[in-house]
Amino acid sequence: MPSATIAELTLSRLVSDPVPARVVAGDFASDFVAQPGAVIHERDEAPHWWRVTVDRAVPAESRPQLVLQSPHLAQVEAWTPGHPMPIRRSLMGPDADRGYSTRALVIPLDDGLDAGESVWLRVHTPSTAPMPVSIESMAQVHRADLVHVAWRTMILVSLLLLALLALGFWLGIGERSYAYLLLTLLAQAAFFATTGGEVRMLPGVAALIQNDPRIPLLLGLLGALSSLVFLIHYLDLRARQPRTLRVLVGCGAALLLLVLLSLVGTMGWVAVVANSILLVAAVVVLVASIIGCLQRQRAAYFVLLSWLPMIGLLFLRVGELSGLWPASTWVGYAFPAAFVLSGLVIMIGLSDTLQQLRRDRDRASRLATFDALTGAMSRPAIEERLKASVADSHRTGMPLSVVFFDIDRFKRINDDFGHRVGDSCLKIIALRTRNRLRTYDLFGRWGGDEVLVLLPDTRLGEALGVAENLRSAVNCRPLSIDGHLFDASLSLGVAQLGEGETAEQLLERADAALYSSKSAGRDRVTAHSRGGLAMA
């Protein structure tokens, strides 16, 4: 929340940069041009003079302080009445005053000010960001600093925590979207920490940024580029919206060109152009997310939810930087907070995408494992389990038996009543037979009307009993399908795994027993022991 000012201020600006002694002496008083509002807003990187005049007396008893908010990388020299030597202030470097937060540069007015008296400021800043100016009491400064530290700490810690989550998901899952999101969050956190001054806690980094003001701009451009790459990938624009993709790629190419230009030298117009490109890209992303929502794309809903507050704040922030309207303290907090909210929503969206992929994978796995018509295991699945069961039986010495059966005269059912009735017949017989099995027995459709049943820990005699149960489950009563009533029966072959026998050999013996049941008149069970065939 902004602090209430002790006095109303009038600001005026001098275009040139003459000798300080002459400016303070008033030699150029008539050359100062009044500026609207109580905001210092520089358009170029050259040093300029500002005069801050109060409309009424400011008593020294209130311990007044001249406060320059959101200074970023600005370096300020201040001449106050009665003090011939300047007070130098900046967020970083040797002129930083660590007694205050990074919210503002604070210049003490120990002797107060008389009505109409002025403070002279020489401002040198590589940033075009506006600096609201006010006079506050020491108590007001401390209260505002506490609020500022709380907000900035919450924002930066939240960005870093989201980045750690993205890193963990990327390393654990390998999904590229999390890598793009990680880069975006780190770039945003670094940008806010450099422009907000929090990096002054790192002496080496602070000195580097103070000496090279291009670094915050490069970090901001990097964050914007990584955001575009992430959104293109997350919304799958290459496949879904190729025209939108071309526009965003053009915005990305323009930002990349600005990065290269920034490496050559500091140019104030780069930030202005970059902000314009960001506005265009933001509108395009908003339109793309709306189109995605109309196409029922789940990712688009999350982008739209995260993008709406951020695009509004982006317009407000760019308007402030461009001088279209006065700067607001709350926007300075809300803008980075919107990035945190956006990152959180996108993180939830990515998790939802992974959940959806997992559900699709499980569904595909189930379709591959189970036969859609009968609910039995598919042939590849039952074949794999047969081989595994044979290997386990040989290793443990536990018995293993199989039952191989098919439906008698099933082709005639299909020919006489149609495939729809045939499919219903398969479903009913599969249900009847599967209900006669134990929970650990395995039931798989081998192909057509053929079914293979695996009976772990079961000897041949017990397997014959199971096969008889399966046979009686089908021939006990006629099938009634679509008004048709007809009898059905099974021919079954049974075999027990022998010592050293392979899965293929076991299945061949069961198949031979099944063929013998058919040859003997159908609706019967035949066992195939290592000694030969035997009717049950």
Side-chain angles (χ1 to χ4, degrees):
M1 296 295 294
S3 300
T5 185
I6 294 176
E8 295 297 327
L9 307 180
T10 301
L11 271 62
S12 53
R13 179 176 179 268
L14 181 63
V15 176
S16 58
D17 183 27
V19 178
R22 296 187 60 192
V23 175
V24 176
D27 294 348
F28 296 91
S30 60
D31 296 330
F32 277 82
V33 178
Q35 302 294 311
V39 177
I40 293 177
H41 198 175
E42 287 292 356
R43 305 291 183 174
D44 57 61
E45 301 173 34
H48 292 286
W49 284 87
W50 288 77
R51 183 176 63 199
V52 181
T53 307
V54 295
D55 67 333
R56 59 181 178 270
V58 177
E61 291 77 13
S62 62
R63 299 182 65 191
Q65 313 289 317
L66 182 66
V67 178
L68 282 68
Q69 300 180 43
S70 306
H72 299 295
L73 298 178
Q75 300 179 40
V76 177
E77 297 174 85
W79 282 262
T80 59
H83 296 272
M85 299 302 295
I87 301 172
R88 293 182 173 85
R89 288 288 186 267
S90 64
L91 283 186
M92 293 175 282
D95 297 329
D97 189 346
R98 301 299 180 89
Y100 301 95
S101 74
T102 59
R103 173 182 73 100
L105 303 181
V106 180
I107 300 165
L109 303 173
D110 296 332
D111 299 329
L113 293 173
D114 294 330
E117 205 165 19
S118 301
V119 176
W120 307 90
L121 303 176
R122 184 175 182 268
V123 180
H124 183 199
T125 176
S127 171
T128 60
M131 289 189 293
V133 182
S134 61
I135 295 180
E136 303 170 7
S137 68
M138 183 63 74
Q140 290 173 324
V141 171
H142 287 329
R143 282 197 299 270
D145 278 358
L146 288 174
V147 173
H148 177 83
V149 170
W151 270 102
R152 295 291 295 186
T153 301
M154 181 190 69
I155 289 166
L156 291 173
V157 169
S158 299
L159 285 173
L160 292 177
L161 286 177
L162 289 173
L164 283 176
L165 283 175
L167 176 62
F169 280 117
W170 177 41
L171 294 178
I173 301 173
E175 169 60 38
R176 280 188 303 165
S177 297
Y178 284 106
Y180 298 142
L181 181 60
L182 171 65
L183 182 60
T184 300
L185 291 169
L186 289 178
Q188 289 170 352
F191 173 72
F192 289 130
T194 52
T195 56
E198 284 79 10
V199 292
R200 71 182 186 181
M201 299 174 63
L202 308 172
V205 177
L208 177 64
I209 294 173
Q210 187 71 20
N211 295 327
D212 191 350
R214 295 175 300 175
I215 293 177
L217 178 60
L218 290 172
L219 289 172
L221 292 172
L222 177 62
L225 275 171
S226 55
S227 296
L228 289 181
V229 173
F230 168 76
L231 290 168
I232 289 172
H233 179 75
Y234 182 52
L235 290 174
D236 194 18
L237 296 182
R238 188 180 303 277
R240 295 176 178 271
Q241 300 181 45
R243 293 183 179 177
T244 305
L245 172 66
R246 286 194 288 270
V247 176
L248 289 182
V249 168
C251 292
L255 290 174
L256 184 59
L257 178 61
L258 293 180
V259 170
L260 298 176
L261 292 174
S262 299
L263 293 174
V264 176
T266 57
M267 290 166 282
W269 58 268
V270 170
V272 177
V273 175
N275 287 328
S276 301
I277 296 173
L278 282 178
L279 285 177
V280 173
V283 172
V284 172
V285 170
L286 181 63
V287 172
S289 61
I290 293 174
I291 294 174
C293 290
L294 295 176
Q295 297 173 348
R296 299 187 180 279
Q297 183 185 0
R298 291 180 65 89
Y301 291 108
F302 289 97
V303 172
L304 184 62
L305 180 62
S306 67
W307 208 251
L308 279 176
M310 194 163 61
I311 193 172
L313 289 167
L314 180 62
F315 271 99
L316 287 176
R317 187 61 177 161
V318 171
E320 289 180 356
L321 296 176
S322 305
L324 297 178
W325 44 73
S328 300
T329 304
W330 70 270
V331 174
Y333 296 131
F335 185 58
F339 277 90
V340 174
L341 176 62
S342 175
L344 180 60
V345 172
I346 291 298
M347 186 72 73
I348 295 173
L350 282 174
S351 300
D352 175 78
T353 300
L354 289 178
Q355 286 286 78
Q356 185 66 34
L357 290 174
R358 183 177 180 180
R359 288 192 291 267
D360 292 344
R361 182 197 63 193
D362 291 345
R363 181 173 179 273
S365 176
R366 179 173 178 80
L367 290 175
T369 303
F370 294 95
D371 175 58
L373 178 64
T374 63
M377 296 179 71
S378 64
R379 176 166 178 169
I382 194 67
E383 197 169 14
E384 181 180 346
R385 295 300 296 271
L386 172 63
K387 293 178 180 178
S389 297
V390 167
D392 288 342
S393 179
H394 287 317
R395 186 179 67 255
T396 62
M398 300 294 289
L400 171 68
S401 296
V402 298
V403 177
F404 199 30
F405 71 80
D406 70 4
I407 302 172
D408 295 331
R409 298 181 178 87
F410 183 69
K411 184 177 183 302
R412 182 182 299 175
I413 295 174
N414 274 329
D415 292 343
D416 292 347
F417 301 102
H419 287 282
R420 190 167 66 84
V421 172
D423 288 346
S424 297
C425 177
L426 273 173
K427 289 181 183 179
I428 294 172
I429 291 176
L431 181 62
R432 287 185 182 183
T433 52
R434 195 165 61 242
N435 287 340
R436 294 292 183 96
L437 296 175
R438 299 164 296 187
T439 55
Y440 52 85
D441 295 332
L442 298 177
F443 183 90
R445 185 180 179 187
W446 194 256
D449 62 321
E450 294 179 327
V451 173
L452 176 65
V453 179
L454 303 185
L455 304 174
D457 194 17
T458 305
R459 299 189 183 278
L460 184 61
E462 298 172 89
L464 285 170
V466 172
E468 281 294 342
N469 274 333
L470 298 179
R471 186 177 72 86
S472 63
V474 175
N475 68 6
C476 64
R477 61 184 184 276
L479 304 181
S480 177
I481 303 174
D482 286 354
H484 302 289
L485 192 66
F486 49 86
D487 294 324
S489 62
L490 302 179
S491 294
L492 305 96
V494 183
Q496 180 182 342
L497 180 68
E499 185 177 352
E501 191 173 28
T502 64
E504 290 78 10
Q505 291 169 337
L506 174 63
L507 193 59
E508 284 177 4
R509 289 198 295 114
D511 188 41
L514 166 62
Y515 182 75
S516 179
S517 292
K518 285 192 171 296
S519 300
R522 300 182 175 85
D523 192 18
R524 66 191 63 233
V525 177
T526 302
H528 194 305
S529 65
R530 298 299 288 268
L533 295 168
M535 295 293 177

